[in-house]
């Protein structure tokens, strides 16, 4: 029995963030990568050409196509000259030195983030009072996910892990009003997220690393019962609030 030549194994060259995806999801990411270099209305090719590029079966490709259409990245035209075309790009919401591409209603997403930021200090106060050793361990697990995404330079995975950390902090709160309100806001924002893009003002990996270190400091302060955690969350949200003043933007 022979083994693959290491340099030719798929797992050696594919993006690490794809390795836990299904085949349709991987194909969707390949299509999204093709769209990234195009203007709205540009033609990618025929369905068969793009399917062959992705190297998947017809059924897998159709599922991948459904996924990218849901994300508003591609539209299909039939008839002569038809095929796959780059769609109008998604609305953007500014978040620090990054842009969140969302599926629709960017104004509502920006408002939900603003409200979430306003509630953060209350939840940090509760975490300082009530966080158990088990809670702290769960927060550090989310920090490890953030570190992995930061090392992979995967902005979308980083933001999702970031929000998962904030959700874990929120779960410590005993408040029957504050906790579900905050978690619902997070769920609303995350459900509309398509991707994270750089602004051009600061390299995205640099921004991600800064945000990671800020969250490490936050969890360390909560673990120590140190009220410095309130200063850290204030720094965290001051940056966010200033960014949100720009409001949602369209491509």
């Amino acid at each position: 029995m022979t083994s693959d030549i290491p340099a030719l194994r798929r797992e050696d060259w594919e993006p690490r963030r794809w390795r836990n995806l299904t085949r349709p999801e991987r194909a969707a990411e390949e299509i999204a990568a093709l769209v990234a270099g195009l203007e709205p209305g540009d033609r990618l090719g025929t369905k068969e050409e793009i399917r062959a590029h992705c190297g998947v079966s017809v059924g897998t490709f159709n599922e991948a196509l459904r996924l990218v259409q849901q994300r508003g990245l591609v539209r299909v035209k039939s008839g002569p000259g038809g095929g796959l075309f780059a769609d109008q790009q998604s609305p953007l919401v500014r978040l620090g030195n990054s842009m969140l591409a969302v599926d629709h209603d960017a104004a509502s997403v920006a408002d939900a983030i603003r409200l979430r930021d306003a509630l953060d200090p209350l939840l940090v106060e509760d975490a300082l009072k009530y966080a158990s050793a088990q809670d702290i361990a769960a927060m550090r697990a989310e920090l490890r996910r953030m570190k992995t995404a930061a090392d992979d330079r995967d902005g979308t995975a980083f933001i999702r892990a970031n929000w998962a950390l904030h959700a874990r902090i929120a779960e410590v709160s005993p408040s029957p009003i504050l906790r579900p309100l905050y978690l619902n806001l997070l769920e609303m924002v995350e459900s509309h997220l398509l991707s994270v893009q750089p602004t051009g003002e600061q390299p995205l990996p640099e921004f991600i690393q800064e945000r990671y270190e800020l969250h490490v400091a936050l969890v360390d302060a909560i673990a120590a019962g140190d009220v410095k955690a309130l200063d850290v969350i204030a720094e965290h949200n001051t940056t966010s609030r200033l960014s949100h003043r720009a409001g949602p933007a369209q491509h």
Side-chain angles (χ1 to χ4, degrees), residues 26-103:
R26 291 188 187 196
E29 291 298 330
E30 292 197 43
I31 298 170
L34 293 175
V35 173
L38 301 177
E39 294 295 328
D42 284 353
R43 187 173 184 269
L44 282 74
T46 66
K47 291 176 67 174
E48 180 56 28
E49 287 169 345
I50 305 305
R51 186 195 68 77
H53 171 83
C54 295
V56 295
S57 68
V58 172
T60 297
F61 179 74
N62 287 339
E63 176 62 15
L65 185 57
R66 183 185 67 80
L67 292 174
V68 291
Q69 286 179 296
Q70 284 181 340
R71 292 164 62 181
L73 298 178
V74 167
R75 54 193 170 87
V76 179
K77 291 183 180 179
S78 57
L84 273 59
F85 293 80
D87 208 348
Q88 181 66 37
Q89 296 181 16
S90 304
L92 296 177
V93 177
R94 186 180 178 105
L95 181 65
N97 284 338
S98 67
M99 302 297 291
L100 307 184
V102 297
D103 52 8

Side-chain angles (χ1 to χ4, degrees), residues 16-17 146-158 196 198 203-206 208-209:
R16 186 183 303 177
R17 66 183 183 275
M146 292 173 66
K147 181 64 164 62
T148 297
D151 290 344
D152 288 347
R153 300 189 174 191
D154 187 339
T156 305
F158 180 84
V196 177
L204 189 57
E206 182 180 315
I208 288 174
Q209 184 61 32

Side-chain angles (χ1 to χ4, degrees), residues 11-23:
E11 59 267 26
D12 289 334
W13 55 262
E14 69 182 358
R16 186 183 303 177
R17 66 183 183 275
W18 290 13
R19 296 179 188 174
N20 294 325
L21 300 182
T22 64
R23 289 184 64 81

